[in-house]
Amino acid sequence: MLTKVHTGLDPVQGVWWKPAHKAEVIWVSVAFAWCIVLFAMMPLWHWKGGQNPAGVRSRVEPKAFYARTTEFAKQYQVGTDGGVPIAAPPPGADVYLVAMSFQWYPVLQLEQGKEYMLHLSALDVNHGFSLYPLNVNFAVVPGFDYALRVTPTSSGDFRIICNEFCGIGHHTMVGRVIVVDSTGAAVADNPDATIEHGGAL
Ligand code: CUA
């Protein structure tokens, strides 16, 4: 006698066409309701989220931004780090940082607890501003000046990692931000270090 083989030609045996079990209906309803909650959170976070940068974007000519940045670096230069100028602007100043393949220019030295207007832009292609080891990330786009109000809340010696693939030297594109406290000392590797942008993070 031949064994019955399911060929797909005969209807499948089972109860799948009968109404769903009560428990299934409840769980599908719960999952759907949760989807709606998360969906509503998207616009809510957009307006109310503490992660939103308090910044303004404006168009800028990359060459003009670069010229402004080198002028800024020269004006407030206090030293050099590997050939890159270290700029120490006074609190409240407009601070310029330009990303280019494959460098961040200049090195910034800021004071803890003081607010600055940080202008970010790129000279050539898209780069990504990622402040290590903190969770601060911004896209750096040529042709746009991204101005952010930033207040460093902890002193330390921070690294800017490029987190947008920008070419062959992408992995070497590391910049530096030094935050000094009121005594003028930068506490390196502070595990509790945070940087606020727009006063809320
Ligand atoms: Cu710049 Cu990756």
Side-chain angles (χ1 to χ4, degrees), residues 12-109:
V12 184
Q13 297 302 307
V15 291
W16 56 269
W17 60 88
K18 290 184 180 162
H21 189 267
K22 203 173 149 194
E24 190 177 356
V25 172
I26 290 169
W27 279 112
V28 167
S29 305
V30 167
F32 182 75
W34 187 239
C35 286
I36 296 300
V37 169
L38 292 181
F39 183 73
M41 288 303 277
M42 284 193 285
L44 195 70
W45 274 323
H46 182 76
W47 298 112
K48 288 280 174 197
Q51 80 285 358
N52 294 336
V56 282
R57 268 181 200 269
S58 54
R59 280 198 175 270
V60 69
E61 189 59 41
K63 277 195 179 126
F65 188 89
Y66 183 66
R68 183 70 192 88
T69 305
T70 49
E71 188 188 308
F72 158 82
K74 212 176 284 174
Q75 187 180 356
Y76 298 116
Q77 185 169 356
V78 292
T80 54
D81 176 20
V84 180
I86 301 171
D94 282 277
V95 176
Y96 292 83
L97 182 67
V98 69
M100 61 189 115
S101 304
F102 302 95
Q103 189 188 48
W104 296 94
Y105 180 98
V107 172
L108 299 175
Q109 184 177 308

